[in-house]
Amino acid sequence: GRTGKRVKKTNPKLQKKGSKTAAAKGTKAPKRPPVPLFHEEQMTDADGLKDVIRNKPNSMAMAVERWWKHFVQPVTAVSAVHEIVQLIVEVSGHKDRAQRLPPSLFAEDDDVDIDSEITDLCQDCAESGVLEKHVHIGTKTGAGKQLRTNLEDFFLKFALLAPRTELVDLQHKLVSTWISALSNCSLQEIRNVATLAGMQILVGLCTVASTVGTEIANKSRLKQAQSSSNK
């Protein structure tokens, strides 16, 4: 038979902190900071909206502010509208067709029939089919879901960070005309993305309206209080 004393085994997970068996009596090991999955670089001037939404979501606010800065300048307004429509078409799954959209379509020109252009666009996209070789919001993966989330955040910020003067008649501006027309197009995937964009912009506008209402109410109360104190 076995001889000698039985040694009682102790589960190290159950040992008290600071016990004699600890590596350093009475001290706790410092916690290591979590290692980030990746380091996101800041947006650069070379990054378009699609690049920021896909790869640099922390720079979303900067991208929105840059877009509005371009839109309010007549020299760059056409390219700003062009970039929004390209974004909607590309993330719907038609990257190649988005890159072939001519900037001339997006000038303030009465000769451009937007509905006719969108009909042609949808027909071309339908014939080529959705391109699965790049991530779009219809992709059934984590990357596709993340792209959708980032896109929702972008269009919410699109309204929240817009210059207040631009929001007064936003529904009549060319960028809104294009988004509205795309939300009524015959191709479901483009229609879905444009509708998502429009809904997020409306949510943002409601938030801005609520904020402005609160500001007006606060200023009104302050003015009444000052008037009462001066009597």
Side-chain angles (χ1 to χ4, degrees):
R2 290 183 297 178
T3 59
K5 294 181 180 180
R6 292 184 65 186
V7 178
K8 185 179 179 181
K9 294 183 179 180
T10 306
N11 187 340
K13 292 182 180 179
L14 301 178
Q15 290 177 351
K16 294 181 180 179
K17 292 180 180 178
S19 67
K20 292 181 181 180
T21 56
K25 185 178 179 181
T27 61
K28 287 198 287 187
K31 289 184 177 181
R32 294 183 179 181
V35 179
L37 297 177
F38 66 94
H39 175 68
E40 182 182 316
E41 297 179 359
Q42 282 290 324
M43 182 186 81
T44 66
D45 291 339
D47 289 322
L49 291 182
K50 298 180 293 294
D51 302 315
V52 174
I53 291 171
R54 287 180 185 279
N55 306 314
K56 302 180 180 180
N58 290 340
S59 298
M60 205 93 73
M62 292 173 58
V64 170
E65 289 171 350
R66 183 185 67 180
W67 186 91
W68 277 108
K69 191 179 295 183
H70 290 169
F71 182 72
V72 298
Q73 298 293 332
V75 178
T76 49
V78 170
S79 62
V81 179
H82 182 210
E83 192 172 22
I84 288 288
V85 176
Q86 271 192 319
L87 171 66
I88 291 172
V89 176
E90 177 171 333
V91 299
S92 70
H94 299 281
K95 182 178 180 179
D96 292 348
R97 187 61 180 84
Q99 293 175 343
R100 288 188 282 112
L101 286 168
S104 58
L105 285 180
F106 308 101
E108 291 279 2
D109 189 350
D110 292 336
D111 292 336
V112 175
D113 185 342
I114 294 178
D115 290 332
S116 176
E117 294 294 341
I118 289 178
T119 299
D120 293 342
L121 167 68
C122 290
Q123 185 174 349
D124 287 350
C125 291
E127 290 173 357
S128 61
V130 174
L131 304 177
E132 296 293 347
K133 61 186 177 185
H134 76 286
V135 175
H136 50 85
I137 66 166
T139 306
K140 305 297 184 183
T141 63
K145 292 177 181 177
Q146 187 60 55
L147 177 61
R148 183 186 183 92
T149 299
N150 292 352
L151 192 70
E152 290 174 346
D153 188 37
F154 171 80
F155 280 109
L156 181 64
K157 285 183 170 66
F158 183 87
L160 293 178
L161 301 177
R164 294 279 173 87
T165 53
E166 294 298 313
L167 295 180
V168 175
D169 60 344
L170 181 60
Q171 71 272 25
H172 300 303
K173 295 187 183 300
L174 188 60
V175 65
S176 299
T177 303
W178 271 95
I179 293 175
S180 177
L182 287 167
S183 70
N184 288 295
C185 78
S186 59
L187 203 61
Q188 183 179 1
E189 55 266 25
I190 293 179
R191 186 169 68 244
N192 288 349
V193 175
T195 300
L196 178 150
M199 291 297 293
Q200 289 300 101
I201 291 171
L202 285 175
V203 171
L205 288 175
C206 290
T207 303
V208 172
S210 177
T211 302
V212 171
T214 302
E215 291 173 358
I216 292 173
N218 290 340
K219 288 178 181 178
S220 178
R221 281 194 293 269
L222 182 61
K223 186 175 181 180
Q224 289 176 356
Q226 289 175 342
S227 298
S228 299
S229 64
N230 292 332
K231 288 181 180 179

